[in-house]
Amino acid sequence: MRVPVACAVVALGLLVAACDASLEEQCAASPPRYEAPERDDDHVATEVRFQSGCTTLAGTLYQPLGEGPHPTMVFLHGSGEMPRLGFGSPWITTPLVEAGMAVMSYDKRGVGDSGGECCPDEDDDFETLTADGLAAVDALAGRDDVGPIGLLGVSQGGWVIPKMVARSPKVAYTVILSGSAVSVGEEITYSDLTGEPYLLPSDIDMENILRQVREEGPSGFDPRPLLRAYRVPGLWIYGARDGSQPTALDVEVLERIEAEQGRDFTVEVFPDLGHDTTHDHTVIETMLAWLDQTLASR
């Protein structure tokens, strides 16, 4: 562990920490930095720098023209090294901004202009990824032009979002595309059995695969306890031919929790789509219609 020089006293060969606050607390106190916004014909883009612990992350806030506040969504990426306009983000951001919403997307730590190392605890507890996402929410929460803040996650982002919802009262709604409602271990077992293609062949023996996943049972991080305590409306969108994670089991989990716990869950499954649902116009229309209804009821 590195100790700040100003917070250390060396006496008789002994190193004594004499800090009023930890290094992490000092870094977290740094306010976000916004560059001058750039206007285009149909949107405004503002570069953002914000702290997550002692790591500086970089992203862009895309906003519609006109006065705010605008409902705003923070984008949570899938696994691996993802820049702010990585997998799915460009296809989703444009229609959201056109519909009058704002989107904040940032480079994952260790990618693009963000500091740190990629990719932390990706198959573990997602603690660092959760902290990064919460730091992005906090960076937006004080702005006058930002309305209700939601979370928009794809794939791995679907595991991070329930942890964020549990920890931040600033999150008001969530949309998850192809995000597992089952454990990391179950997802890995499923993708090993399918070979993890993004689009399953129509003749695959899905019944046998799902039987083996059920027999294996949950292991590793499991979002179910957090989903049972979910306090905000959520939309889940899946492709029925997803080879990366088990849509049929996700739907079972979410529908059971909705029925037993009374959570405000909406689940949509598109029969011809695989893991990547972000390019489909019907998916985008479904997402926008749900957001319009959810925000109107606030």
Side-chain angles (χ1 to χ4, degrees):
M1 178 178 66
R2 296 182 180 179
V3 180
V5 175
C7 297
V9 176
V10 180
L12 299 177
L14 298 176
L15 181 64
V16 181
C19 300
D20 292 331
S22 71
L23 180 58
E24 289 289 326
E25 290 171 338
Q26 294 175 50
C27 292
S30 301
R33 303 189 304 277
Y34 302 96
E35 296 182 8
E38 295 184 4
R39 285 183 168 270
D40 206 331
D41 292 337
D42 56 0
H43 72 276
V44 178
T46 304
E47 298 298 301
V48 185
R49 299 287 187 276
F50 59 97
Q51 295 293 126
S52 178
C54 289
T55 300
T56 299
L57 304 179
T60 305
L61 174 61
Y62 302 94
Q63 295 173 295
L65 300 176
E67 294 184 6
H70 306 287
T72 302
M73 304 197 79
V74 174
F75 189 89
L76 282 305
H77 292 289
S79 60
E81 298 182 0
M82 289 291 173
R84 68 193 73 180
L85 291 179
F87 176 79
S89 179
W91 296 94
I92 296 175
T93 298
T94 297
L96 283 170
V97 174
E98 289 176 348
M101 298 191 67
V103 180
M104 159 76 150
S105 187
Y106 57 93
D107 302 329
K108 287 178 77 171
R109 60 170 55 217
V111 179
D113 294 327
S114 288
E117 295 183 7
C118 190
C119 299
D121 50 44
E122 289 229 322
D123 293 318
D124 190 9
D125 56 11
F126 309 110
E127 281 295 307
T128 304
L129 295 173
T130 300
D132 292 349
L134 292 172
V137 170
D138 290 342
L140 296 175
R143 291 179 61 103
D144 293 336
D145 55 358
V146 168
I149 297 175
L151 304 177
L152 172 59
V154 297
S155 193
Q156 184 193 73
W159 277 319
V160 177
I161 283 177
K163 296 174 74 74
M164 294 177 62
V165 168
R167 298 183 189 182
S168 176
K170 299 170 185 175
V171 175
Y173 51 98
T174 66
V175 175
I176 296 174
L177 286 76
S178 304
S180 288
V182 298
S183 70
V184 171
E186 289 166 293
E187 189 274 341
I188 291 174
T189 299
Y190 176 83
S191 58
D192 285 346
L193 292 170
T194 64
E196 200 171 1
Y198 270 17
L199 187 65
L200 290 174
S202 58
D203 60 349
I204 194 168
D205 186 0
M206 182 56 66
E207 182 177 346
N208 182 53
I209 288 175
L210 294 178
R211 177 184 59 77
Q212 293 185 62
V213 175
R214 287 190 176 96
E215 290 175 354
E216 185 76 19
S219 61
F221 172 72
D222 188 350
R224 290 175 177 89
L226 296 174
L227 293 172
R228 293 188 188 101
Y230 224 68
R231 56 172 183 77
V232 300
L235 169 66
W236 279 261
I237 291 178
Y238 293 104
R241 297 174 62 190
D242 190 335
S244 181
Q245 57 83 43
T247 291
L249 300 185
D250 298 323
V251 173
E252 287 181 12
V253 169
L254 293 168
E255 289 184 344
R256 185 181 304 115
I257 291 174
E258 181 185 13
E260 294 177 355
Q261 311 296 141
R263 301 305 172 202
D264 187 0
F265 291 172
T266 301
V267 181
E268 300 284 353
V269 179
F270 292 82
D272 297 325
L273 297 182
H275 192 61
D276 183 5
T277 59
T278 62
H279 293 66
D280 189 87
H281 293 295
T282 307
V283 167
I284 300 299
E285 291 171 0
T286 300
M287 178 182 66
L288 292 175
W290 183 88
L291 285 168
D292 185 61
Q293 180 180 12
T294 299
L295 290 167
S297 64
R298 287 183 53 84

